Structures are given as structure tokens and as C-alpha cells.
Amino acid sequence: MKRRDLMVAGGAIFCVIGGRQLLLAQRSPFDFRDLSSLPGFRLLDAGPVSGARSMLVGLDAKDNAARVDQIRANPRPALFPSAATGKLPIAIFGDFNCPYCRVISKHMVIVARTNPVVSVDWHDLALLGPGSERSLRAATAARFQNAYLPVHETLMTRLLRPGPNALRTLADDHGMDAAVFIEDQNSARTQAFISDTNAVSDAMGIGVTPVTVVGKTLVIGAIALDDLDRLIDLEISEI
């Protein structure tokens, strides 16, 4: 390739990259709203949602009224249990059968694994029926065998069929003790974890999915991924 051609090609690449950066820089600022019910947090309405808080979730939260009040008074420890000094904490509330959650989840798994300044906590809800409940219990049980994230990724891509055979296969695929995993689907520790997650969602006023809490910003709905990245960069700059 001639020198002149190289210069033209290089200029074209520069224009594409530079133009994209300029476009992102010129995008409208976020339309944040204060949350009077949650001091220290702000709200961003971002896009479509799936599901709605079920009666069962509401009843569970009422049974956990003291825990809900405790979280509401100081939400960050329950919302961001993995938070560390100097890192931007992110919490994701999703349902395994929510199509918008699947897109955000896939993106955030990459962010969690590649951005050393970010810590991500996953809060699973079951708002979309029995299939969501099965996946929720399986993902929760996987936490007790240190297999949550790979199981989360699997359940975000396929429906978990009912019955022990599907659970046994899931356990085998991810190196878990199948007998313990199956038993934990309805164990006291699994139910306690789910109840506490419901208390966190109730304290934060969350009854739909997806909801992403990025630092101090509560994002309701399916935010565009480039906007999510832009918000993460903004929140990191404010740490």
C-alpha cells in the first residue's frame, strides 16, 4: 500500500473513532431526579421493564418488616455487600426470564470481570412466574457452593426445566455437589437468602426488572448499554 493510501486509511479510522467519541460527548446529560424516600440516591428512568411485584413478594416483605426498616435506614451494606473502598458499587435486580435483564446481565458480567474499579452484586427476583422461581432458587443454592456467577450466566440463556434431572445436570455442568444442590432448592438457608433479597428490593421500592443501582443512581428499566457505560464512568469520576 502506498504512503498516501496509508494516510487516507489512517485518517478514515481516526474520523470514525474520533467521531464516535465526539458523538458520545455530545449526548444529552442524564435526567436525574432526587429520591426523597432514599436520601443519598437519585433516580433515572431509562426504558422498558418486565414484571411487577407479586403478592407473594409483598407478603414476604411484610413478614420481614423489621429487616426492611433496617435496610431502609442504611441501605448500602445490604445493597452492595461486595463493595470495597475505592471501587464503584453496582447492584443489579433482575429476573431470569426478563429479556431486558439478559442483555444488561451479559454486559455487566463483562464489566465485572474486566473493570478493576467496579464491584457488582446480583439481586435475583422472581416476578415472572414459576420458571423464574425455579431459576431464582437454583441460582441462590449455587451461591453456597461458590458457583453463583457461572450458574447465573447459564440461567440467563436458557429455561431451567422442572424436576431433579435438570438440577442434577446443572450441578454437574458447574462442578457442584448435586445432592446438596438439589436439597438446597428448598432449604432454610436458601429461603432466608431469598427473603432478605426481597427485603432489600422492598426497602428500595423495587417492584419491576431490570433495575440497576450504579453508585448513587437508581436506574429503572432497560438502559442502553452505551448509556450504562457512560453512567458508570460518571459515577467513577465522583467516587
Side-chain angles (χ1 to χ4, degrees):
M1 184 180 288
K2 295 181 179 179
R3 186 170 181 269
R4 184 184 66 183
D5 294 334
L6 285 171
M7 291 177 66
V8 171
I13 293 171
F14 176 81
C15 287
V16 170
I17 296 174
R20 180 177 182 276
Q21 291 175 336
L22 181 62
L23 179 63
L24 290 175
Q26 291 178 338
R27 296 189 67 169
S28 300
F30 293 114
D31 185 17
F32 298 121
R33 289 188 287 136
D34 289 335
L35 273 173
S36 58
S37 59
L38 288 170
F41 288 90
R42 59 192 180 186
L43 181 67
L44 178 64
D45 289 317
V49 298
S50 290
R53 183 178 297 274
S54 71
M55 290 300 294
L56 289 177
V57 173
L59 288 172
D60 184 55
K62 289 179 182 178
D63 291 340
N64 263 338
R67 176 62 175 148
V68 171
D69 289 342
Q70 179 188 42
I71 295 169
R72 190 170 288 140
N74 182 22
R76 289 186 174 272
L79 187 60
F80 305 124
S82 299
T85 302
K87 288 195 173 187
L88 172 68
I90 298 176
I92 301 174
F93 291 82
D95 185 302
F96 286 103
N97 287 322
C98 163
Y100 311 116
C101 299
R102 290 171 180 168
V103 174
I104 290 177
S105 172
K106 184 176 181 180
H107 186 72
M108 287 309 303
V109 167
I110 296 173
V111 170
R113 286 175 171 159
T114 59
N115 192 330
V117 188
V118 165
S119 65
V120 179
D121 287 292
W122 311 85
H123 301 275
D124 303 319
L125 303 175
L127 306 181
L128 297 172
S132 297
E133 179 73 21
R134 284 196 302 273
S135 294
L136 165 63
R137 290 186 174 276
T140 303
R143 290 179 182 271
F144 305 128
Q145 298 195 48
N146 298 315
Y148 172 76
L149 194 53
V151 169
H152 170 96
E153 290 183 271
T154 295
L155 295 176
M156 277 292 179
T157 61
R158 70 172 190 239
L159 179 69
L160 179 64
R161 297 187 179 278
N165 289 338
L167 293 172
R168 190 171 293 109
T169 298
L170 187 62
D172 291 343
D173 288 347
H174 295 289
M176 293 184 286
D177 184 314
V180 173
F181 180 64
I182 292 171
E183 182 179 355
D184 264 334
Q185 300 306 301
N186 296 294
S187 69
R189 63 178 178 172
T190 292
Q191 186 55 54
F193 193 96
I194 292 172
S195 295
D196 202 63
T197 299
N198 289 340
V200 176
S201 67
D202 190 71
M204 298 296 295
I206 294 169
V208 296
T209 58
V211 171
T212 310
V213 187
V214 183
K216 60 181 177 292
T217 304
L218 189 72
V219 183
I220 306 294
I223 185 172
L225 298 183
D226 57 347
D227 281 341
L228 178 56
D229 288 338
R230 192 162 59 103
L231 177 60
I232 289 172
D233 289 342
L234 175 62
E235 289 279 353
I236 288 175
S237 72
E238 296 177 355
I239 294 177

